[in-house]
């Protein structure tokens, strides 16, 4: 009920937290849990966290296969992630339950038109131009220095070359529609919510979270993002508790491990962390993988 109130007020971050708390209570009622998951998926969807929303919809559908709201939400997520064939499959599944469901018919028609289109244009340069007064003046210039957060507003020529190289990465669930205009903003309690980019170098994939609360732990996001294995993880290594997080100090060419139990703010306050283009970035690796050993070879790595 608390989550529903926040949702009506369009306070989607608090709605996510309330629904999550409801799920943590483990009611044992599959139908109630399906509703909580579907509602949390809707809140994540409005925040632009389409991957997390899709995983919640998948879990809700497992608990209640005939739950049309979960199926509609999952189809919408696939549309945002440009997985048009998967969106059609979800629509077909829902239409078997209710062949006249208007929303599913609309989504399927749109997906039919768009299927086969490839992701347009490279988008890892991160065009989320950061300004100290962004999001309608909500974040003032004093908010970040007070938190001891360091910004890099203008990339150097060398860094621009690196960005151009990264732009060749094929992006899964990260495209101009979801990233353009995503900016750090203050919520009603005076806390910052950041757009955060997760990079998976081994598979040349990314995830983009539009509103990552500064006091949220990384592990809490990973538990939602990897509730279902991503389609590119054929070896089934990317499990929430089998992941290592790092950030890179470009100036010194050194890597720093990030504790998954730490909050985003704790990482941003690290003496060697610099926020570039208004978008914090985290690199994610499977623990003890041959790829990560090769990746870190020759680099100075600061472990936990």
């Amino acid at each position: 009920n608390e989550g529903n109130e926040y949702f009506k007020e369009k306070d989607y971050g608090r709605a996510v937290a309330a629904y999550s708390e409801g799920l943590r209570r483990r009611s044992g009622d599959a139908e109630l849990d399906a509703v909580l998951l579907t509602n949390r998926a809707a809140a994540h969807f409005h925040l632009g966290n389409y991957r997390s929303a899709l995983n919640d919809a998948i879990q809700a559908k497992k608990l209640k296969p005939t739950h049309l709201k979960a199926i509609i939400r999952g189809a919408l997520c696939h549309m945002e992630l440009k997985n048009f064939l998967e969106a059609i499959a979800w629509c077909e599944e829902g239409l078997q339950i209710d062949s006249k469901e208007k929303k599913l018919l609309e989504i399927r028609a749109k997906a039919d038109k768009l299927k086969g289109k490839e992701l347009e244009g490279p988008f890892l340069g991160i065009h989320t131009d950061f300004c100290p007064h962004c999001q309608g003046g909500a974040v003032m210039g004093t908010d970040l220095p007070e938190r001891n957060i360091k910004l890099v507003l203008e990339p150097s020529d060398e860094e621009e070359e690196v960005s151009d190289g990264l732009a060749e990465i094929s992006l899964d669930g990260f495209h101009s529609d979801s990233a353009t205009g995503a900016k750090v903003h203050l919520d009603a309690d005076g806390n910052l919510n950041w757009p955060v980019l997760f990079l998976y170098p081994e598979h040349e994939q990314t995830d983009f979270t539009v509103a990552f609360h500064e006091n949220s732990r990384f592990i809490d996001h990973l538990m939602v993002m990897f509730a279902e294995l991503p389609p590119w993880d054929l070896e089934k290594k990317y499990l929430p508790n089998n992941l290592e997080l790092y950030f890179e100090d470009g100036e010194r060419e050194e890597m720093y491990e990030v504790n998954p139990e730490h909050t985003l703010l704790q990482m941003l306050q690290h003496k060697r962390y610099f926020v570039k283009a208004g978008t914090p970035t985290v690199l994610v690796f499977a623990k003890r993988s041959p790829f990560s050993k090769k990746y870190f070879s020759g680099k100075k790595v600061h472990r936990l």
Side-chain angles (χ1 to χ4, degrees), residues 31-75:
E31 187 152 342
L32 174 59
D33 285 347
V35 170
L36 286 166
L37 284 162
T38 303
N39 289 359
R40 189 171 72 176
H44 271 307
F45 186 89
H46 283 287
L47 289 169
N49 301 336
Y50 303 122
R51 173 79 176 280
S52 297
L54 177 59
N55 283 334
D56 276 348
I58 290 169
Q59 294 300 319
K61 187 157 70 79
K62 282 183 177 178
L63 289 172
K64 189 180 178 185
T66 60
H67 194 29
L68 276 177
K69 285 187 177 180
I71 294 171
I72 291 169
R73 185 61 55 194

Side-chain angles (χ1 to χ4, degrees), residues 50 80-83 171-175 178 205-208:
Y50 303 122
E80 292 294 335
L81 296 171
K82 297 197 173 182
N83 301 330
L171 304 176
D172 177 30
F174 177 65
H175 53 89
S178 63
Q205 299 287 342
T206 73
D207 273 323
F208 188 73

Side-chain angles (χ1 to χ4, degrees), residues 67 70 85 97 101 132 138 156 180 213 218 228 237 268 292 299:
H67 194 29
L85 291 176
I97 300 166
E101 171 53 55
S156 67
T180 299
H213 191 287
F218 283 98
E228 289 284 316
K237 297 185 298 186
L268 297 180
S292 64
K299 295 182 181 180

Side-chain angles (χ1 to χ4, degrees), residues 100-282:
K100 296 180 181 179
E101 171 53 55
K102 186 178 176 182
K103 191 68 179 176
L104 289 173
L105 290 169
E106 289 175 0
I107 297 168
R108 187 179 66 178
K110 187 176 179 182
D112 272 328
K113 285 183 181 179
L114 294 171
K115 69 182 178 184
K117 281 193 176 183
E118 295 182 354
L119 190 61
E120 296 176 2
F123 203 81
L124 227 133
I126 314 304
H127 305 295
T128 51
D129 300 324
F130 176 80
C131 93
H133 305 282
C134 60
Q135 205 73 0
V139 178
M140 304 308 292
T142 56
D143 290 311
L144 302 179
E146 279 181 2
R147 287 169 164 79
N148 195 26
I149 297 174
K150 299 166 287 297
L151 299 178
V152 177
L153 297 182
E154 293 293 336
S156 67
D157 291 340
E158 183 181 356
E159 288 167 340
E160 284 177 356
E161 287 177 14
V162 172
S163 292
D164 289 341
L166 283 173
E168 296 173 7
I169 291 177
S170 64
L171 304 176
D172 177 30
F174 177 65
H175 53 89
S176 56
D177 291 342
S178 63
T180 299
K183 295 177 180 179
V184 57
H185 63 276
L186 280 170
D187 63 21
D189 296 324
N191 297 306
L192 290 177
N193 291 266
W194 291 84
V196 176
L197 182 65
F198 293 85
L199 298 176
Y200 310 104
E202 182 175 2
H203 296 279
E204 297 186 338
Q205 299 287 342
T206 73
D207 273 323
F208 188 73
T209 298
V210 173
F212 193 130
H213 191 287
E214 64 181 348
N215 292 323
S216 289
R217 302 179 307 163
F218 283 98
I219 187 62
D220 295 328
H221 277 263
L222 294 174
M223 292 294 286
V224 175
M225 290 162 61
F226 290 94
E228 289 284 316
L229 288 170
W232 42 262
D233 182 21
L234 300 179
E235 297 178 29
K236 300 182 179 179
K237 297 185 298 186
Y238 283 70
L239 302 168
N241 293 317
N242 192 45
L243 300 176
E244 292 180 343
L245 310 179
Y246 294 85
F247 70 83
E248 190 162 13
D249 183 341
E251 184 180 321
R252 296 183 180 179
E253 296 185 352
E254 297 176 356
M255 304 288 294
Y256 288 82
E257 189 172 4
V258 178
N259 189 336
E261 298 290 335
H262 281 180
T263 64
L264 175 61
L265 182 59
Q266 285 176 292
M267 182 187 80
L268 297 180
Q269 290 177 331
H270 190 281
K271 62 183 179 180
R272 293 306 304 169
Y273 196 90
F274 298 88
V275 179
K276 297 178 182 179
T279 306
T281 302
V282 186

